């Protein structure tokens, strides 16, 4: 619930400060958050990196593929482990994520998002009450509701808009 409150309050109309001390009081162990996003453009990747760095700086255990890229990995196995062991999964909405997440993107491109979205669709389908509140669609500045994949119910379920990264 901490990251949910964090995203809602920090990124809503009123900027609420959540310090590491507040996080510690709210939960003994910081939540682990896997960030799923499409590599739409360098600018989008930079924006996601800035968001992940901000979350990390606020005491949240943010997991981003870029930070794990230092050694050779089985990315598919890594992704399954990260998503299934995370307290929350943030899906950063973008035009490519919507297309790819809904299975409409180019077959040989964005294979990471294809795999992540396929796993999340399976998890939501198999255990909706547990996974729907765990997978959080996030709209970073400049992105809209039509960029959220349909399987995450862009109009009929909660989504989280980020206006700025503030402490």
């Amino acid at each position: 619930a901490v990251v949910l409150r964090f995203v809602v309050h920090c990124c809503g109309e009123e900027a609420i400060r959540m310090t590491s001390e507040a996080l510690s009081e709210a939960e003994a162990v910081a939540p682990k958050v896997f960030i799923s996003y499409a590599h739409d453009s360098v600018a989008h990747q930079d924006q996601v990196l800035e968001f992940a760095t901000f979350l990390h700086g606020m005491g949240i255990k943010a997991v981003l593929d870029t930070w794990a890229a230092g050694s050779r990995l089985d990315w598919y196995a890594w992704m399954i482990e990260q998503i299934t062991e995370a307290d929350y999964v943030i899906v950063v909405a973008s035009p490519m994520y919507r297309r790819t997440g809904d299975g409409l993107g180019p077959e040989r491109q964005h294979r990471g998002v294809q795999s992540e979205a396929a796993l999340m669709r399976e998890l939501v389908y198999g255990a909706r009450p547990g996974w729907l509140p765990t997978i959080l669609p996030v709209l970073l500045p400049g992105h809209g509701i039509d960029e959220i994949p349909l399987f995450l119910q862009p109009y009929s379920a909660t989504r989280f808009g980020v206006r700025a990264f503030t402490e």
Side-chain angles (χ1 to χ4, degrees), residues 22-162:
L23 181 63
S24 296
E25 290 173 17
E27 191 168 79
V29 177
K32 180 179 177 184
V33 178
F34 177 75
I35 301 173
S36 179
Y37 68 103
H39 295 201
D40 288 50
S41 66
V42 172
H44 182 65
Q45 290 176 37
D46 289 346
Q47 188 180 38
V48 171
L49 178 60
E50 182 182 1
F51 180 57
T53 301
F54 174 71
L55 292 176
H56 184 73
M58 296 302 290
I60 293 171
K61 293 179 186 173
V63 177
L64 193 64
D65 61 349
T66 303
W67 294 337
S71 61
R72 186 169 191 265
L73 291 173
D74 176 340
W75 286 105
Y76 194 78
W78 179 84
M79 174 270 305
I80 290 172
E81 179 182 352
Q82 298 308 314
I83 289 176
T84 58
E85 292 184 4
D87 297 305
Y88 297 95
V89 177
I90 289 178
V91 172
V92 179
S94 69
M96 186 53 68
Y97 204 109
R98 168 73 178 254
R99 283 191 301 279
T100 305
D102 288 339
L104 304 173
E107 182 181 316
R108 297 191 181 274
Q109 294 178 354
H110 303 282
R111 289 184 177 178
V113 171
Q114 286 182 41
S115 298
E116 291 168 15
L119 175 61
M120 286 185 274
R121 287 192 308 265
E122 187 69 19
L123 293 169
V124 169
Y125 185 83
R128 185 175 222 42
W131 280 99
L132 193 64
T134 301
I135 301 172
L136 311 175
V138 169
L139 298 166
L140 294 181
H143 294 274
I145 191 171
D146 290 331
E147 298 175 14
I148 298 172
L150 290 173
F151 78 94
L152 293 177
Q153 302 172 249
Y155 294 96
S156 61
T158 308
R159 61 197 171 277
F160 304 95
V162 175

